[in-house]
Amino acid sequence: MSGAPVYEAPAPDAPMSGAPVYDAPAPDDPVSGAASAASRRPACPPPDDDAQAATAAPDAHAALQRENAKLRRINAALMHAAERGPDYAGSAFALFQTAAALGDQVQERTAALTTALAALTAAKEMEAQAKQRMEAAVEAINQGIVLCDAEDRVLLTNIRYRELWGDVPAEPGTPFAQLVRSSAPQILIQGTDTAAWETFRLDRHRNPGEPFVIAFRDGTWLQVSERRVAGGGTVSLYTDITEVKRAEARRRERELFEKSALLQATLDNISQGVSVFDSRGALVACNTNFLRLLGAPPSSADPAHLSAWCTARLDALDLGFVHSMPAPSAGQRRQDHHTADGRTIDLRCSIMPGCYCVATFTDITEQLSISRALQEANEGLERRVEARTAELIQANAKILAAKAEAELMNLSKTKFFAAANHDLMQPLAAARVFASALSERRLSPPNRELVRHALAALDSVDDMLTALLDIAKLDAGVTPPAPCSFAVAEVMGRVAEEYRLIAARRKLRLRLFAGTAIVQTDPHLLARILRNLVSNALRYTNTGGVLIGHKCHPGGLLVGVWDTGIGIAPAEQEEIFEEFHRLPQADGSSVRGAGLGLSIVRRVSRMLGHPLVVRSVPGRGSLFGIVVPLSDAPPIALPRPRTQADGPAAPNTLRARHVQLIDDEPHVLQGLSLLLTGWGMRVSGSPTAARALEAAAGPPPDLIIADYRLQDGVTGLDAIATLRRRWGELPAIVVTADHGADVQAEVSAAGLYLLHKPVRPARLRSLITHVLQSSAVDA
């Protein structure tokens, strides 16, 4: 053991393994004198029966002595009573009886005393034997034991203690403080003086706690454990843990060596060169890459020569500052060093605590070469990007110009569709009105048949033009969807009402099944889908009927049309959605129609994002439907367009009624005038509201019928408002070829009736009758 003297106490949570544990006797164990001190010796093996008897002997002896003294007092009393003679008893016989009884008692007590004395002698012998065994057991313990009384004086020690402490006197009666003072020269004390050590040792002796460790100057280590015993004494156990300490030191040295080897292996596996210099510039540690960067020293160089060689090489490479950085204030230093062989080394130096200089050497030659190559590539790429950017700017300019041209063309096409819708429908509407007016006149059967065929041809042209214009508007995106929450029964009921008369003419049953479901979609586009599906179902159904209804579906609510028509083969269920694709009837004849209804349905469903459902069995019927999402939001009330009468027209309700017509198309104005005059009505026609007011004479008319699109951007709503300012709130009907939802909403908001071109005479007459009857009721 080298260095300054030291004593140490083990940590509370790491007691010395193998150290004996001293169990103090119970407080009620008998302890008295030197014999009781032997019974309190620590860490002794359990006593045998003789030792137990010896332990109990002092109590038995004291009891026998007390009993003997009691018997002597009794005997003295009896002898005193016998000597008093007659004065005590009064008769000789009584005295004799008393003497006899006292003699018997004396004999009994004498026999008991003899037995007690014999037992006392045996107990003393057992006590002596137990004491000898106890002392032998204490001496046989491998730990040094010191037992002190309540006054901290030595009662006994064993041979192991005397061997451990050598010349330290430990005779019985020696104060424990004297033992501490005598042993102080042998203790290896570190960080304090002898007086402090004696104070520490006496404090731990008076207040026993966790075991602590004492180091001797000769390298011996003792672990000290102290416990209080009954009677106020203290027992101290000294365990030699020198081998344990030496094993721990060897283990720490081995771990330190392993860590050092691991650290060196780690440094050797680092791609950088690493070196550590102390404050004097001597090399402390380095890795193989550092030596390789310096030029690989001779393999036979010892550490001292290696340090000198590295220092010389660093000086030769103009890197002497690495091992001569003087102060921690120098901080970190970085330098790119170019060697004679064309390498570039990134050098970084920093100061660690203790003024150690750590230097790292990284060969960045390849990185710099790659960096230069990347820089050149980036410069070339930038030039290419600039060229491509210029080309892209030119291309974008062309694209923007093309886009602007396309948007202009699309706008022109949209305007063309709007104009075509009006301009194409105007002559068609005029022809339809003239033909209808002609059909109401008296004609010969051949001429009536010709008029009927002309009307049928006009209806076909009307259907085809309407479908083509609808497809063009959908493809151009003129009518974007406007979804909302509404009761699906409202839309289904209106579509069923529109086609009820057509179904009756074809002698088919048209049924409606509509619950209380709330859906989220565009009501006008949903109504357009249902109209095309119902029209298609009525066209391809000869017998039975058509059902408009809905049912639950995994994706929402299936709103569809069921029919008992001719059905569709599976191979044709995809082709029927193509434009101008028509199916033959069951008898092989062609069905009238343009073949555009289902094409419009597919376009609208894609616009809404709702899937189509088609199920059909040839000869039995078909189902065409669309799956719309359900809604939890409260429904809104859909405006109900006022387009037709709610009941049949009463006879002769139109005769002599005055109608004011506003239309800027002369042929339509003339045709409507002939048709209405044929029904017995008085007609006033004018292209504008101002001309109508100028020509007006007499009372105001009963009804106003105005075309929606007039000259100079004026609408029929404007014309009706102008006439109403002069004539009051007259009933009015707006006629238009525009089927858009915005026009319907505008007319409904104005509280007017709407009729689409081409005008069918039956629907016109029914609507006029309904309007006139309603105005009469309101009046």
Side-chain angles (χ1 to χ4, degrees):
M1 182 65 63
S2 63
V6 63
Y7 69 92
E8 61 178 1
D13 56 349
M16 182 61 61
S17 61
V21 179
Y22 172 73
D23 295 328
D28 57 349
D29 287 348
V31 178
S32 65
S36 64
S39 66
R40 297 196 302 270
R41 290 170 184 167
C44 295
D48 54 12
D49 295 339
D50 293 339
Q52 293 178 1
T55 305
D59 287 342
H61 178 67
L64 289 175
Q65 287 180 344
R66 290 192 297 271
E67 186 67 22
N68 192 14
K70 182 179 179 181
L71 290 176
R72 286 192 182 98
R73 289 194 300 272
I74 294 172
N75 191 19
L78 290 176
M79 293 298 293
H80 178 71
E83 290 175 355
R84 291 180 61 185
D87 293 336
Y88 183 80
S91 68
F93 181 74
L95 291 175
F96 173 76
Q97 287 180 337
T98 301
L102 290 174
D104 292 338
Q105 292 180 6
V106 168
Q107 290 179 357
E108 291 177 1
R109 296 295 188 271
T110 302
L113 181 59
T114 302
T115 302
L117 291 174
L120 179 60
T121 302
K124 287 183 176 180
E125 293 177 355
M126 293 175 61
E127 180 182 2
Q129 294 176 0
K131 182 177 181 180
Q132 292 175 357
R133 292 175 182 175
M134 184 69 70
E135 290 175 352
V138 171
E139 294 294 342
I141 294 175
N142 194 31
Q143 295 172 301
I145 298 176
V146 177
L147 179 62
C148 298
D149 59 13
E151 296 179 356
D152 271 349
R153 294 182 178 274
V154 177
L155 292 177
L156 65 87
T157 60
N158 66 348
I159 189 172
R160 181 58 179 160
Y161 174 81
R162 293 188 292 275
E163 292 175 352
L164 291 174
W165 291 96
D167 297 336
V168 177
E171 300 299 330
T174 303
F176 185 80
Q178 183 177 342
L179 290 183
V180 173
R181 285 191 298 273
S182 301
S183 63
Q186 301 182 23
I187 304 300
L188 182 63
I189 302 174
Q190 183 180 13
T192 183
D193 55 10
T194 303
W197 151 252
E198 292 177 2
T199 302
F200 165 78
R201 182 68 187 89
L202 292 175
D203 181 68
R204 293 299 298 265
H205 179 74
R206 296 187 185 100
N207 302 286
E210 297 294 331
F212 60 94
V213 177
I214 298 176
F216 284 71
R217 295 182 181 274
D218 61 358
T220 304
W221 292 79
L222 295 182
Q223 177 177 276
V224 183
S225 299
E226 294 182 314
R227 293 290 184 273
R228 289 288 186 184
V229 296
T234 306
V235 60
S236 303
L237 282 76
Y238 297 85
T239 305
D240 189 351
I241 59 171
T242 304
E243 290 302 323
V244 176
K245 282 289 186 178
R246 289 174 181 172
E248 289 182 353
R250 289 192 296 270
R251 179 174 56 82
R252 285 195 294 269
E253 290 176 358
R254 184 172 61 254
E255 291 177 353
L256 183 60
F257 175 77
E258 292 175 353
K259 289 180 179 178
S260 178
L262 178 61
L263 178 60
Q264 185 63 43
T266 303
L267 290 175
D268 289 339
N269 282 278
I270 293 176
S271 60
Q272 297 172 314
V274 181
S275 62
V276 181
F277 297 88
D278 60 14
S279 58
R280 297 173 297 177
L283 181 66
V284 178
C286 65
N287 64 351
T288 55
N289 284 327
F290 170 72
L291 299 176
R292 187 179 298 111
L293 287 171
L294 295 183
S299 59
S300 60
D302 57 15
H305 292 158
L306 180 63
S307 177
W309 181 86
C310 291
T311 301
R313 287 293 298 165
L314 289 173
D315 292 336
L317 295 174
D318 197 20
L319 296 174
F321 68 89
V322 172
H323 60 85
S324 60
M325 293 184 71
S329 60
Q332 189 179 44
R333 182 173 178 180
R334 182 183 179 277
Q335 175 180 336
D336 288 343
H337 182 70
H338 302 281
T339 62
D341 56 359
R343 293 181 300 166
T344 302
I345 298 176
D346 179 18
L347 173 62
R348 299 173 186 265
C349 300
S350 59
I351 301 298
M352 293 194 311
C355 294
Y356 285 93
C357 176
V358 180
T360 59
F361 301 80
T362 307
D363 189 348
I364 60 173
T365 306
E366 185 177 357
Q367 296 179 7
L368 291 177
S369 177
I370 295 174
S371 178
R372 285 192 294 269
L374 287 176
Q375 184 177 1
E376 293 175 359
N378 287 336
E379 292 175 356
L381 183 60
E382 288 177 358
R383 289 192 295 270
R384 294 173 59 187
V385 168
E386 290 176 358
R388 295 294 185 273
T389 302
E391 295 176 0
L392 184 60
I393 292 174
Q394 294 178 0
N396 286 337
K398 293 179 180 179
I399 292 174
L400 291 175
K403 181 180 178 181
E405 184 178 357
E407 290 177 351
L408 182 61
M409 293 177 63
N410 190 29
L411 181 61
S412 300
K413 184 173 67 172
T414 303
K415 293 181 178 179
F416 168 76
F417 288 147
N421 191 23
H422 181 269
D423 294 341
L424 289 177
M425 287 299 178
Q426 285 292 80
L428 183 62
R432 189 71 173 78
V433 171
F434 279 117
S436 299
L438 183 61
S439 66
E440 303 234 347
R441 297 180 179 271
R442 291 186 178 183
L443 300 172
S444 62
N447 292 335
R448 185 170 296 278
E449 186 68 15
L450 290 175
V451 172
R452 187 178 66 84
H453 286 297
L455 289 174
L458 291 174
D459 290 340
S460 298
V461 173
D462 176 24
D463 294 339
M464 183 172 293
L465 285 177
T466 302
L468 288 174
L469 292 173
D470 287 342
I471 290 176
K473 290 180 180 180
L474 292 174
D475 292 341
V478 177
T479 56
C484 62
S485 296
F486 61 93
V488 70
E490 291 190 40
V491 175
M492 297 171 63
R494 295 177 185 179
V495 174
E497 188 65 27
E498 292 175 9
Y499 286 90
R500 193 173 302 280
L501 292 177
I502 298 176
R505 291 172 186 168
R506 296 182 57 84
K507 299 181 180 180
L508 298 174
R509 296 189 305 275
L510 180 62
R511 294 182 297 166
L512 173 66
F513 173 76
T516 60
I518 307 300
V519 296
Q520 177 77 18
T521 186
D522 189 314
H524 302 292
L525 295 179
L526 178 62
R528 178 178 295 185
I529 290 175
L530 289 178
R531 289 189 185 97
N532 286 333
L533 294 180
V534 173
S535 175
N536 218 49
L538 292 175
R539 184 176 293 120
Y540 288 95
T541 301
N542 295 326
T543 59
V546 175
L547 170 66
I548 306 174
H550 61 74
K551 61 182 295 187
C552 293
H553 193 272
L557 187 72
L558 174 62
V559 181
V561 176
W562 286 259
D563 64 61
T564 58
I566 60 175
I568 305 170
E572 293 183 307
Q573 290 182 7
E574 182 64 26
E575 298 177 358
I576 58 176
F577 290 98
E578 297 178 359
E579 291 83 355
F580 305 107
H581 184 87
R582 291 181 292 183
L583 296 176
Q585 282 187 333
D587 56 2
S589 61
S590 61
V591 180
R592 185 185 66 176
L596 297 173
L598 293 181
S599 178
I600 294 175
V601 168
R602 182 166 62 178
R603 280 175 165 82
V604 176
S605 67
R606 289 176 178 175
M607 180 189 301
L608 295 174
H610 304 337
L612 281 173
V613 176
V614 179
R615 296 171 189 158
S616 182
V617 177
R620 298 185 56 184
S622 304
L623 159 65
F624 286 84
I626 183 173
V627 180
V628 297
L630 294 169
S631 175
D632 296 330
I636 64 172
L638 299 179
R640 182 176 181 85
R642 306 168 72 179
T643 58
Q644 59 186 24
D646 295 332
N652 299 325
T653 57
L654 304 182
R655 186 171 299 279
R657 305 301 293 269
H658 185 194
V659 178
Q660 176 65 56
L661 297 180
I662 304 295
D663 199 318
D664 58 349
E665 185 64 35
H667 299 290
V668 177
L669 191 62
Q670 184 179 3
L672 279 176
S673 299
L674 291 175
L675 183 62
L676 297 177
T677 303
W679 294 343
M681 303 185 72
R682 291 191 302 111
V683 179
S684 298
S686 177
T688 63
R691 295 277 297 275
L693 292 176
E694 292 175 359
D702 300 310
L703 177 66
I704 302 173
I705 300 178
D707 187 39
Y708 181 77
R709 296 188 183 276
L710 301 175
Q711 295 177 353
D712 301 328
V714 179
T715 66
L717 300 178
D718 300 331
I720 292 173
T722 301
L723 296 177
R724 281 182 168 182
R725 283 193 293 270
R726 172 77 173 273
W727 292 332
E729 293 295 323
L730 296 178
I733 299 174
V734 178
V735 182
T736 181
D738 194 339
H739 291 259
D742 53 345
V743 175
Q744 296 184 16
E746 187 178 0
V747 173
S748 298
L752 305 177
Y753 293 89
L754 180 65
L755 187 64
H756 288 101
K757 293 182 180 181
V759 178
R760 286 175 169 77
R763 181 173 298 177
L764 176 61
R765 183 166 187 167
S766 175
L767 181 59
I768 292 175
T769 302
H770 170 72
V771 171
L772 293 176
Q773 289 178 348
S774 299
S775 62
V777 172
D778 294 339

